[in-house]
Amino acid sequence: GEKSLYDLANFIVKSFDFDMDHAFGFYNNIQDLYSSDEIYELFADMDDCDPSENAQGVKKTKIYSVFEPKKKMAFLFDYGDDWIFLVECKSIAEPLEKTRYPRIVEKVGKSPEQYPDYDEE
């Protein structure tokens, strides 16, 4: 929980073997991201960018200040390709000794290609 939303985003992206090479944001309206009233975007941390109205930054916002058990948010990575991930806080627990965090607790299937070659299809 002490890590930033930027750190969480980086972990999600790396977990799918993607390059962390695009802007991103967290949105509480999962059905219609752009109608969210709770928004955290990388754009809010960048100079000469135009973040969404009421967007807060991700670099200084701690995970514990955003997530609580059962809370879900959409994580949108790469506003061009629109990779959307559902992030849900299942529970909050004390960290285990000698355990490195963050960590993947379950993974199902193979990661999709970040940049598939659509001409080959």
Side-chain angles (χ1 to χ4, degrees):
E2 290 291 328
K3 299 276 187 185
S4 69
L5 289 179
Y6 184 91
D7 294 327
L8 176 60
N10 189 48
F11 184 72
I12 293 168
V13 169
K14 297 293 184 187
S15 296
F16 281 86
D17 301 317
F18 286 8
D19 294 324
M20 185 67 162
D21 57 355
H22 292 281
F24 58 86
F26 291 87
Y27 303 86
N28 73 330
N29 187 333
I30 294 165
Q31 303 304 318
D32 183 4
L33 278 57
Y34 298 104
S35 294
S36 293
D37 55 11
E38 186 178 0
I39 301 170
Y40 303 90
E41 292 177 337
L42 180 61
F43 293 134
D45 292 313
M46 301 168 67
D47 293 334
D48 56 334
C49 281
D50 191 22
S52 298
E53 187 175 336
N54 300 321
Q56 298 179 56
V58 295
K59 290 187 175 181
K60 293 181 181 176
T61 303
K62 302 290 185 188
I63 295 169
Y64 75 80
S65 70
V66 175
F67 285 95
E68 59 189 31
K70 298 184 181 177
K71 182 171 181 181
K72 296 177 184 177
M73 292 192 84
F75 168 60
L76 171 58
F77 175 73
D78 185 347
Y79 293 90
D81 286 337
D82 287 341
W83 288 102
I84 301 174
F85 304 85
L86 179 63
V87 180
E88 179 180 5
C89 178
K90 294 284 195 175
S91 65
I92 298 173
E94 291 296 319
L96 301 172
E97 287 186 36
K98 299 182 181 178
T99 301
R100 187 177 174 155
Y101 293 97
R103 67 188 180 110
I104 297 173
V105 294
E106 181 181 5
K107 188 170 183 175
V108 178
K110 184 181 173 190
S111 295
E113 281 186 63
Q114 183 175 5
Y115 302 114
D117 187 358
Y118 293 112
D119 291 338
E120 289 183 13
E121 294 179 10

